[in-house]
Amino acid sequence: MRFHVLRHHAATLCIAAALAAHPAAAKVISVNAATPDANEKLQEALILAEPGDIVQLGAGVWNLTDGLSLDVANVTVRGAGAGEGGSILDFTGQQGAGEGLLVTSDDVFLTNFAVLNTKGDGIKSKGADRIVYHKLRVEWTAGPKESNGAYGIYPVESTDVLIDSVFVRGASDAGIYVGQSKNIVVRDSIATENVAGIEIENSYDADVHDNIATKNTGGILVFDLPSLPMQGGHNVRVFDNIVNDNSTPNFAPKGNIVASVPTGTGVLVMANRHVEIFDNVFADNGTANVMIVGYRYEHKDPKYQPLPRAIVVRGNQHGKAGYAPKFPGGDQIAAAMGGSIPPILWDGAGDAVVLDPVGVLSLNLPDVKTPQSEAKPSPADLSKGTPPAALPTIKLPDAMEAKVR
């Protein structure tokens, strides 16, 4: 396991990137948390900022009643820290149900502040290419509750996304969520007490590594869903993560797709292709360390592909798992197998190669239209297939990496 913060590149690249990010005319706009009209002053700073500017948040607690928005490209929003004594944007008194902060512009750098108790999502970016989330905290401080906002960190419809060293707790859908995006890195982050810790949905080319996903309902989810503009999620690597004790009862509002995620799931792959799960440390996930399933819900999208394909599981460390399976019929299957099911659960749809030396349980449901009540569980050997060629490392633009050094 390698948790890393610094990544070394040539010093000349760092200097060049810094100069590009902060041209000579750039300015620092400082905003004070103690200002009586702090909400208005902070939003004003985000409106008046020009490309290259830094909006500097002072230390202290900001008691905000309205959500914030940024639609100016190449702006940095920097606080004095995400922990106690830092820049804390507290939305406990938020009047509307929107985001805490919404970003809709490119080349934005968000760093070193916290967002608490939003009525809606914590920090959302939409159509914001080359966005960097760094050293942030998004938290619902009362812990898991259905009334919490759905997503903590929430970039969508973007190309080049970096999420680095963030902490998210209490999201009623996903703590860290990336949807309908391309070229993604999620690393060195902690997701705890969310329904889904980290979720990659309907996205292409993602590396999820060196994270801790613990005490969620499900640790890391890789989904592809129907009826969305961007489909065919593929080329996702999940590696070098610690995925343990994902034991929080599912508290998602009914009707959400994640409301069906069984408590005690480590990594769940659904209807995606070319997904590699390797070199992770799994332990104490009561349903399964890894689940590989097809999409088994009604839909009317003729282009949708519901099967998982070319899934590879290799080189992982497996601790205790399968001792409290929370899918329908799981308790009976576990009892019949001596008290627990194997660490890897496959519904029988699509194809996968499992090279980890642990047991695999198949539900033998190759047709996703077959109801789960007709499952015929039995051990499966998925080690005989030939894995596809290894996926390449995701490379982000040098200017993005330079921002977090």
Side-chain angles (χ1 to χ4, degrees), residues 110-123:
L110 308 173
T111 185
N112 276 291
F113 60 90
V115 171
L116 306 184
N117 301 325
T118 54
K119 296 296 188 291
D121 306 319
I123 306 174

Side-chain angles (χ1 to χ4, degrees), residues 2-329:
R2 59 181 199 284
F3 284 87
H4 50 278
V5 176
L6 298 177
R7 289 156 178 85
H8 301 285
H9 289 266
T12 52
L13 285 176
C14 295
I15 294 170
L19 290 174
H22 305 297
K27 60 184 180 295
V28 176
I29 305 173
S30 297
V31 193
N32 190 337
T35 303
D37 53 352
N39 208 137
E40 292 77 7
K41 291 296 185 185
L42 179 48
Q43 182 58 71
E44 181 181 82
L46 296 172
I47 292 172
L48 296 178
E50 297 178 341
D53 286 352
I54 298 172
V55 176
Q56 182 69 52
L57 310 179
V61 177
W62 306 63
N63 293 303
L64 304 176
T65 56
D66 296 309
L68 304 166
S69 61
L70 172 65
D71 65 358
V72 182
N74 193 22
V75 168
T76 294
V77 181
R78 175 179 289 127
E84 186 176 351
S87 302
I88 314 301
L89 308 184
D90 190 337
F91 289 88
T92 300
Q94 187 174 8
Q95 299 301 309
E99 304 86 5
L101 172 61
L102 173 64
V103 177
T104 53
S105 48
D106 298 339
D107 299 294
V108 168
F109 180 33
L110 308 173
T111 185
N112 276 291
F113 60 90
V115 171
L116 306 184
N117 301 325
T118 54
K119 296 296 188 291
D121 306 319
I123 306 174
K124 178 178 179 178
S125 56
K126 184 174 182 180
D129 295 341
R130 297 173 302 281
I131 188 163
V132 178
Y133 294 82
H134 177 244
K135 292 187 176 178
L136 303 171
R137 174 167 62 102
V138 178
E139 185 172 4
W140 286 267
T141 55
K145 293 174 62 178
E146 183 178 327
S147 58
N148 291 350
Y151 303 103
I153 302 291
Y154 183 15
V156 65
E157 298 177 11
S158 300
T159 297
D160 297 324
V161 174
L162 174 57
I163 299 172
D164 184 313
S165 305
V166 308
F167 175 92
V168 185
R169 171 178 176 254
S172 65
D173 195 304
I176 298 170
Y177 171 98
V178 186
Q180 300 183 71
S181 296
K182 303 175 184 178
N183 219 46
I184 302 150
V185 174
V186 180
R187 69 189 182 209
D188 297 326
S189 296
I190 298 173
T192 186
E193 294 187 279
N194 310 283
V195 175
I198 300 170
E199 183 172 349
I200 307 296
E201 184 177 285
N202 289 64
S203 292
Y204 310 162
D205 305 314
D207 276 355
V208 179
H209 67 91
D210 293 286
N211 304 288
I212 298 175
T214 185
K215 292 184 170 62
N216 307 286
T217 300
I220 301 175
L221 278 52
V222 183
F223 276 12
D224 205 64
L225 302 179
S227 303
L228 292 174
M230 182 170 168
Q231 290 189 21
H234 64 275
N235 291 10
V236 179
R237 303 195 308 164
V238 178
F239 63 97
D240 284 333
N241 303 285
I242 295 174
V243 185
N244 74 312
D245 190 21
N246 287 289
S247 54
T248 295
N250 196 314
F251 59 99
K254 291 182 180 179
N256 289 12
I257 187 66
V258 295
S260 63
V261 174
T263 300
T265 300
V267 171
L268 173 57
V269 178
M270 184 173 71
N272 231 265
R273 62 183 170 88
H274 288 104
V275 179
E276 295 181 0
I277 303 165
F278 63 97
D279 294 346
N280 302 284
V281 176
F282 294 108
D284 301 314
N285 298 302
T287 291
N289 286 338
V290 179
M291 291 181 63
I292 303 167
V293 301
Y295 183 85
R296 295 184 173 275
Y297 306 93
E298 185 177 351
H299 69 88
K300 297 180 180 180
D301 186 343
K303 297 181 180 179
Y304 180 63
Q305 297 294 326
L307 302 180
R309 291 160 292 162
I311 314 302
V312 179
V313 182
R314 59 178 174 83
N316 301 287
Q317 298 180 40
H318 291 268
K320 185 180 178 184
Y323 50 87
K326 295 301 182 184
F327 59 91

